[in-house]
Amino acid sequence: MARSVANGVYEAGGIPLDLPVVSLGETQVRPTAMLWRNMAAMATEEMLRANPIDGVVLLGGCDKTIPALLMAACSVDLPAVVVPGGPMLTGTFRGVPLGCGTDVWKLSEEVRAGTLSAADFARSESSMIRSRGHCNTMGTASTMGLLAEALGMTLPGVAGIPAADSRLLEAAHATGALAVELVDAGRRPSTVLGPGSFRNAIVALAALGGSTNAVVHLLAIAGRAGIELSLDDFDRIGADVPLLVDLQPAGRYLMEDLHRAGGLHAVLAEVRDLLDPLAPTVTGRPLAEHLDAAAVYDREVIRPREMPLQPRAGIAVLRGNLAPDGAVIKPAAASAHLLRHRGPAVVFDSVEDLHARLDDPDLDVTADSVLVLRGCGPKGYPGMPEVSNMPLPAKLLAQGVRDMVRVCDGRMSGTAYGTVVLHVAPEAAAGGPLARVRTGDLVTLDIEARTLHVDADLDAREPSPEFLAALARPSRGWERLYVDTVQQANTGADQDFLLGASGDRVARGSH
């Protein structure tokens, strides 16, 4: 793809230069790739500012890379355009399509329940990775690639093209030529991104059934771009948007099917009246104008507006004495019978505590219990890992239970599913009330009322010694800087000293 971009730059009269920056893959980086999103953004920002370049093409694929690149581009404000790396092709196991990530979560629970052998699980895992590319479900990688286009920061029509599809190389070539045009026109992120751009992204997020992680990423990008965006905007703009895309984890199909069915433009055309009609793109034309030729070719994959998968599918923002600054939940991935629920808390002080006790036959837990995991926010873990979709207790799995209400100050993989309350703010490590919940406290979740409440006088309590002992306390390096300066999830979990922009000017030369 980089070679195709370079050829497009050359063809348009520019000179391309490869600038390698930190890359974050979800499957290998420990303890969580989110710990380094802000560092990748900072390194990219400094790379762009330090080198004598006029514009930039941002190549990203996995979950944190496109957000980090966009954050950096906004802070430097050189002419910029994104090329998403694209999802992998659909893999099958015993004749059934498998979704990368989503089916791992499902099948791993079957192994724990004793209904699938470890050998078959390994075979299924290798079968689902059919080609290069990022996860092919509507996880965070797919979501952020599509939202980069909804924001106006890609060549129209490029987001969602599978990684192995030669048309992605064609689009990369055209993007290289477009980058030269952006420089000539002085078309910078500050001239493309505005409040309308983020409105369009929030509408797209809901209609696609996109990842909850998009919330923290869009908030962080807006913070760099100087755009006022809050958690409440996600609820205000997106709550009543219908879910139109029948993709895992909220539905049945995969990203290759979405591309075949008409892609992002076909989805946005269904909700065109909800979009900002004037929000521009890197082409210089509004996003809405690029939807005129959109068509839906498979109404099972992309539902008509009047027959949605769910009528109200946007991210729901919850508040209450457990989340004074907000928490989020994805109703499209939740179980209908748990959208309003009241049950006793079963509290875990750390991920290690969860793993040690979850499958204990003597654990006092029922299907009505609310699993609470704390110490997993930006400061506490550190890095806000994807552990909120806690596995269910083995004894409940054996009884056929497949979902429970779960509450955590961490994140959840965009490929995951379940009735999971995420991004609780303030996190427990920052003094949030989650630190003072005790096992047995009655927790009430009411998604319709947008509330998350616990029946307890939390102010009269102190955090448990076990919780405090498990918190991250890095002594040096990026982890120390991160914990000391990271903000909370409700504002995007960026570093406080990286908010805003410094532009592309360098005051002094090197000699």
Side-chain angles (χ1 to χ4, degrees):
M1 283 178 60
R3 285 195 296 271
S4 294
V5 170
N7 290 339
V9 172
Y10 274 130
E11 187 177 85
I15 301 297
L17 174 67
D18 284 338
L19 293 177
V21 292
V22 178
S23 184
L24 302 171
E26 291 297 307
T27 56
Q28 301 295 340
V29 175
R30 301 292 187 271
T32 171
M34 185 65 174
L35 178 60
W36 290 285
R37 181 201 66 179
N38 300 342
M39 185 181 77
M42 184 169 67
T44 303
E45 174 183 345
E46 300 303 338
M47 178 75 80
L48 297 181
R49 185 177 293 114
N51 284 278
I53 58 174
D54 300 305
V56 58
V57 178
L58 306 166
L59 302 179
C62 212
D63 299 17
K64 311 303 180 296
T65 56
I66 286 179
L69 291 169
L70 281 171
M71 290 161 68
C74 289
S75 291
V76 180
D77 204 31
L78 283 168
V81 58
V82 176
V83 183
M88 64 183 71
L89 299 175
T90 300
T92 60
F93 178 62
R94 295 184 295 198
V96 178
L98 291 180
C100 180
T102 300
D103 279 309
V104 174
W105 306 122
K106 290 180 179 178
L107 296 176
S108 65
E109 293 290 67
E110 296 303 322
V111 174
R112 296 180 65 243
T115 58
L116 182 72
S117 71
D120 280 343
F121 177 64
R123 279 192 286 272
S124 74
E125 186 181 21
S126 61
S127 299
M128 70 178 61
I129 311 300
R130 180 180 165 205
S131 73
R132 65 182 180 272
H134 60 65
C135 292
N136 58 4
T137 49
M138 191 56 73
T140 308
S142 295
T143 299
M144 293 312 300
L146 294 165
L147 295 192
E149 180 161 340
L151 285 168
M153 290 299 294
T154 76
L155 184 78
V158 67
I161 300 176
D165 195 316
S166 61
R167 288 171 290 186
L168 185 56
L169 299 181
E170 178 187 10
H173 186 105
T175 300
L178 174 60
V180 177
E181 177 188 324
L182 295 180
V183 172
D184 289 341
R187 202 173 300 142
R188 300 168 181 262
S190 59
T191 66
V192 175
L193 295 174
S197 308
F198 287 90
R199 176 185 181 85
N200 291 347
I202 292 171
V203 171
L205 176 64
L208 293 164
S211 167
T212 51
N213 288 307
V215 176
V216 289
H217 294 320
L218 288 174
L219 287 168
I221 295 165
R224 298 297 188 94
I227 303 297
E228 292 290 334
L229 189 70
S230 72
L231 271 184
D232 292 334
D233 292 321
F234 287 84
D235 219 340
R236 177 179 59 84
I237 296 169
D240 294 328
V241 176
L243 174 61
L244 301 180
V245 178
D246 194 350
L247 250 69
Q248 294 185 32
R252 298 173 292 168
Y253 296 98
L254 296 166
M255 284 296 293
E256 191 177 350
D257 300 304
L258 176 60
H259 183 64
R260 168 181 58 80
L264 176 65
H265 284 192
V267 178
L268 294 182
E270 291 288 323
V271 290
R272 187 168 183 167
D273 59 303
L274 303 179
L275 300 174
D276 185 310
L278 301 179
T281 69
V282 286
T283 66
R285 295 168 52 207
L287 174 69
E289 288 188 12
H290 293 286
L291 306 180
D292 292 340
V296 178
Y297 302 107
D298 188 331
R299 279 298 185 185
E300 288 295 308
V301 180
I302 302 175
R303 303 291 182 87
R305 177 79 168 271
E306 60 274 11
M307 297 178 61
L309 202 64
Q310 292 186 25
R312 304 175 67 225
I315 301 295
V317 178
L318 310 173
R319 295 186 190 274
N321 69 344
L322 260 185
D325 292 338
V328 302
I329 191 169
K330 183 178 179 180
S335 298
H337 71 284
L338 294 174
L339 297 181
R340 180 178 293 168
H341 181 80
R342 179 178 170 87
V346 178
V347 179
F348 301 96
D349 284 319
S350 66
V351 168
E352 293 78 15
D353 183 31
L354 174 78
H355 292 162
R357 294 195 293 122
L358 184 68
D359 290 337
D360 185 341
D362 294 328
L363 182 68
D364 187 9
V365 63
T366 71
D368 289 331
S369 299
V370 175
L371 303 182
V372 176
L373 175 60
R374 58 192 174 202
C376 299
K379 292 179 180 291
Y381 198 78
M384 206 181 173
E386 294 179 340
V387 296
S388 296
N389 53 312
M390 295 163 251
L392 304 188
K395 67 180 181 182
L396 297 185
L397 288 172
Q399 297 170 17
V401 177
R402 289 299 180 267
D403 194 13
M404 296 172 66
V405 174
R406 286 157 276 181
V407 179
C408 183
D409 46 11
R411 296 179 302 114
M412 172 174 85
S413 169
T415 66
Y417 59 94
T419 311
V420 184
V421 179
L422 312 147
H423 311 179
V424 172
E427 64 173 302
L434 201 64
R436 298 184 292 278
V437 178
R438 294 176 182 170
T439 292
D441 289 345
L442 287 176
V443 177
T444 302
L445 167 67
D446 190 332
I447 295 179
E448 184 65 28
R450 299 296 196 263
T451 56
L452 179 67
H453 188 83
V454 59
D455 292 351
D457 182 6
L458 299 178
D459 292 336
R461 296 176 178 175
E462 294 294 328
S464 72
E466 293 80 10
F467 158 70
L468 293 174
L471 294 179
R473 291 179 177 83
S475 61
R476 61 182 300 276
W478 172 253
E479 287 195 23
R480 171 70 180 273
L481 182 61
Y482 180 91
V483 169
D484 287 349
T485 62
V486 71
Q487 298 190 308
Q488 291 295 288
N490 62 302
T491 60
D494 200 358
Q495 309 305 130
D496 57 16
F497 64 92
L498 289 176
L499 291 179
S502 303
D504 65 308
R505 291 183 61 84
V506 178
R508 290 172 170 166
S510 58
H511 298 288

